[in-house]
């Protein structure tokens, strides 16, 4: 397609929808176990999930105005959505949040073969009962498309309101926590999880999983962070979600890094159910990012969003 045709198609698309929102942007960005308090609004795709009287149970990430990506194990009975409330624009777990809004759940979709986190397939697509409104504090995250590489050593962030140590809940007003962790190459992670101990059985690190953390321990996601995003920067302004917090052994233990559902492994599942989600592939990242930015700019000029 030549550039002129591209502009025509893009303009037509923009006129049909007001949902064209550049993904992975954190307008208020300035720049868990072993982590620190995140700046309010720094991770505008972060979602908090509560279930009835249990209160906080999981995290998630906005991928479209009415869809959230989370973990399948956060929804033990996907057909029963009535107990769940999802919060966007939230920073404090236990304090006032001026910019937050909440939604109920319309439906939850999980892969047909999902059984338990250690067996893989630990992702859930959660449809909200009403779309959210985009703002500086509420933005969608970009998703890793099939084949997107995240080499060992890539520095990424995991965010959530989970325990700050094993068995130690987030205290006080409970601000959102962030921690920087490196990706661990899959064969190395598999080797770590094959090392058995008297109280631990070996686990296979499967092709739809990705690991992040320190071999020495000390930085990790923990209970309550499940379903939350592991995001990596692809340029100075854009974040792409590489993983969904899935499981681990304890929290931040040596040779037991956090294990995440690999988003790129579920690209077809996500695209088929949420076509408006923005998936970015490795080889075409720069061109795709340019296209998204151009589309957002053109839509703004057309005053359709």
């Amino acid at each position: 397609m030549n550039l002129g045709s591209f502009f025509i198609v893009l303009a037509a698309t923009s006129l049909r929808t007001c949902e064209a929102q550049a993904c992975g942007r954190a307008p208020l960005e300035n720049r868990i176990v072993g982590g620190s308090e995140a700046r309010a609004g720094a991770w505008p795709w972060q979602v908090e999930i509560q279930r009835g009287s249990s209160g906080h149970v999981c995290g998630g990430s906005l991928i479209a105005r009415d869809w959230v990506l989370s973990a399948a194990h956060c929804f033990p009975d996907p057909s029963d959505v009535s107990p769940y409330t999802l919060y966007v624009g939230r920073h404090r777990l236990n304090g006032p949040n001026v910019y937050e809004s909440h939604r109920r759940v319309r439906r939850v979709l999980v892969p047909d073969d999902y059984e338990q986190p250690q067996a893989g397939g630990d992702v859930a697509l959660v449809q909200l009962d009403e779309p959210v409104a985009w703002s500086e504090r509420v933005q969608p995250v970009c998703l890793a498309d099939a084949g997107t590489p995240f080499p060992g050593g890539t520095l990424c962030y995991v965010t959530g309101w989970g325990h700050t140590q094993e068995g130690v809940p987030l205290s006080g007003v409970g601000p959102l926590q962030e921690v920087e962790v490196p990706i661990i190459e899959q064969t190395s992670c598999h080797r770590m999880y094959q090392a058995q101990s008297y109280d631990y059985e070996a686990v296979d690190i499967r092709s739809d999983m990705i690991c992040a953390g320190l071999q020495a321990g000390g930085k990790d996601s923990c209970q309550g962070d499940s379903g939350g995003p592991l995001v990596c920067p692809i340029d100075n302004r854009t974040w792409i979600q590489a993983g969904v917090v899935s499981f681990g052994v304890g929290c931040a233990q040596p040779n037991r890094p956090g294990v995440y559902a690999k988003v790129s492994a579920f690209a077809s599942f996500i695209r088929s159910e949420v076509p408006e989600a923005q998936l970015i592939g490795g080889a075409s990242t720069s061109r795709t990012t340019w296209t998204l930015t151009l589309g957002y700019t053109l839509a703004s000029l057309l005053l359709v969003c």
Side-chain angles (χ1 to χ4, degrees):
M1 180 185 295
N2 62 37
L3 189 58
S5 299
F6 172 79
F7 270 107
I8 293 171
V9 172
L10 184 59
T13 301
S14 298
L15 288 170
R16 286 196 302 268
T17 180
C18 282
E19 297 184 5
Q21 183 77 9
C23 65
R25 302 300 175 88
L28 300 179
E29 179 194 355
N30 186 20
R31 18 159 194 331
I32 303 225
V33 176
S36 59
E37 179 179 341
R39 181 184 178 188
W43 308 104
W45 40 81
Q46 182 75 41
V47 175
E48 196 245 330
I49 300 175
Q50 295 198 9
R51 184 176 62 220
S53 59
S54 299
H56 173 78
V57 291
C58 282
S61 55
L62 273 170
I63 61 173
R65 289 185 65 214
D66 59 344
W67 285 95
V68 168
L69 177 63
S70 188
H73 77 263
C74 293
F75 301 89
D77 181 0
S79 64
D80 183 12
V81 301
S82 60
Y84 294 92
T85 304
L86 277 63
Y87 292 85
V88 301
R90 167 166 280 199
H91 180 63
R92 300 179 181 93
L93 186 61
N94 305 313
N97 293 279
V98 176
Y99 301 100
E100 81 171 22
S101 60
H102 68 275
R103 299 289 188 273
R104 303 300 296 230
V105 177
R106 175 170 296 174
R107 58 177 174 154
V108 175
L109 306 175
V110 301
D112 292 336
D113 58 352
Y114 172 75
E115 295 180 355
Q116 60 174 338
Q118 291 83 353
D122 193 16
V123 295
L125 293 172
V126 185
Q127 187 174 27
L128 307 179
D129 64 342
E130 295 181 35
V132 301
W134 299 133
S135 69
E136 282 188 332
R137 309 247 177 185
V138 180
Q139 297 276 321
V141 68
C142 303
L143 302 177
D145 205 347
T148 305
F150 293 96
T154 302
L155 292 176
C156 306
Y157 274 87
V158 59
T159 51
W161 289 278
H163 290 190
T164 54
Q165 297 179 45
E166 286 187 49
V168 181
L170 193 58
S171 62
V173 297
L176 180 67
Q177 300 290 295
E178 63 180 29
V179 62
E180 187 180 45
V181 287
I183 298 295
I184 294 179
E185 199 272 331
Q186 187 171 18
T187 56
S188 297
C189 186
H190 181 76
R191 194 179 309 118
M192 294 180 200
Y193 270 90
Q194 287 296 299
Q196 299 188 30
S197 64
Y198 70 95
D199 61 348
Y200 169 74
E201 294 184 2
V203 174
D204 290 331
I205 302 301
R206 300 169 183 262
S207 60
D208 66 353
M209 301 174 182
I210 187 171
C211 301
L214 301 176
Q215 185 171 0
K219 292 185 177 184
D220 197 5
S221 52
C222 202
Q223 284 79 22
D225 291 322
S226 290
L230 172 74
V231 296
C232 311
I234 57 172
D235 58 36
N236 290 332
R237 298 185 58 200
T238 306
W239 294 86
I240 182 170
Q241 185 170 349
V244 175
V245 179
S246 182
F247 71 93
V249 174
C251 302
Q253 293 187 10
N255 295 311
R256 299 292 185 263
V259 182
Y260 302 77
K262 185 190 293 183
V263 172
S264 61
F266 302 96
S268 295
F269 172 59
I270 296 170
R271 185 176 282 111
S272 66
E273 301 294 345
V274 191
E276 59 269 41
Q278 299 177 55
L279 293 105
I280 294 180
S284 59
T285 294
S286 58
R287 184 175 66 179
T288 306
T289 303
W290 174 83
T291 301
L292 291 172
T293 302
L294 180 60
Y296 179 64
T297 302
L298 180 59
S300 298
L301 291 173
L302 291 171
L303 299 178
V304 296
C305 292

